[in-house]
Amino acid sequence: AGKNPGGGGGGGSRTEEPVSVTRREAAVSAASLALAALVTGPAEATPPRQAFEVPADAFKPLPGTNPPIMYYDIKGGGSTEGGARPGQRVAVHFDVKFRRITIATSRQGAGVTGGVPYGFQVGTPAGTPGGPFIKAFNEGIKGMGPGQFRRLLVPPEYAYGNQQVQEIPPNSMLTVDLELLSVAARA
């Protein structure tokens, strides 16, 4: 009596009670986890990013762009001189919008982590290794310093041109929000 009925070869004896307690603990733990999942409810969505309404007459033309990329500095800056220089590697957060709908962003999974920054080498042609995916990034970064946040109204010549890309028709104007996070000390 008191021996483990299926006890294979250990020769030791165990009472049934510790096995029952272990099963009971497992059942209580499983029930607690299930109850906790019900009590906490569904995960809440990440709150939307703050919307910035910029009056159309507040935008200024970005020097050296033709047709002009229009820009407005939402945070910091106010200049198109200085800042990141050609050949420097930068990290940015961006949102590309078509008709007020975000179609590309580096802020996916914002919340705790804030998304994954996008890096490129300033001045490298768009669409080539190390360069940005649209020309507007190379132009729009001019004069920006780390921490600066800028909105760009981008004509097709600095976006996707006469190409249709996903739901963006050819020759479409885009809105790009660009936040410069850092400039590498060396390329």
Side-chain angles (χ1 to χ4, degrees), residues 146-159:
Q148 191 170 345
F149 185 51
R150 179 176 281 177
R151 174 158 297 161
L152 306 168
L153 301 180
V154 182
E157 292 81 358
Y158 294 97

Side-chain angles (χ1 to χ4, degrees), residues 8 31-32 58 93 106 134-135 172 186:
S32 297
H93 268 314
S106 64
I134 58 175
K135 294 177 188 177
S172 293
R186 54 191 163 100

Side-chain angles (χ1 to χ4, degrees), residues 54-60 70 153:
V54 180
D57 62 349
F59 286 91
K60 299 180 269 187
M70 303 301 284
L153 301 180

Side-chain angles (χ1 to χ4, degrees), residues 62-63 65 69 84-88 90 118 120-128 130-144 150 152 158 178:
L62 195 63
T65 59
I69 294 175
R85 294 182 308 279
Q88 290 183 308
V90 295
Y118 176 73
F120 67 95
Q121 191 166 340
V122 178
T124 301
T128 62
F133 61 91
I134 58 175
K135 294 177 188 177
F137 280 46
N138 270 330
E139 299 298 330
I141 201 89
K142 290 178 180 175
M144 289 181 70
R150 179 176 281 177
L152 306 168
Y158 294 97
L178 198 59

Side-chain angles (χ1 to χ4, degrees), residues 88-178:
Q88 290 183 308
R89 184 130 183 105
V90 295
V92 299
H93 268 314
F94 69 88
D95 295 296
V96 177
K97 299 173 188 166
F98 171 65
R99 296 186 181 162
R100 301 179 65 109
I101 298 171
T102 301
I103 50 113
T105 183
S106 64
R107 298 176 189 272
Q108 190 67 31
V112 177
T113 63
V116 178
Y118 176 73
F120 67 95
Q121 191 166 340
V122 178
T124 301
T128 62
F133 61 91
I134 58 175
K135 294 177 188 177
F137 280 46
N138 270 330
E139 299 298 330
I141 201 89
K142 290 178 180 175
M144 289 181 70
Q148 191 170 345
F149 185 51
R150 179 176 281 177
R151 174 158 297 161
L152 306 168
L153 301 180
V154 182
E157 292 81 358
Y158 294 97
Y160 297 115
N162 62 3
Q163 302 291 316
Q164 173 151 350
V165 177
Q166 298 175 8
E167 49 292 297
I168 305 169
N171 301 311
S172 293
M173 182 91 140
L174 300 177
T175 300
V176 175
D177 288 342
L178 198 59

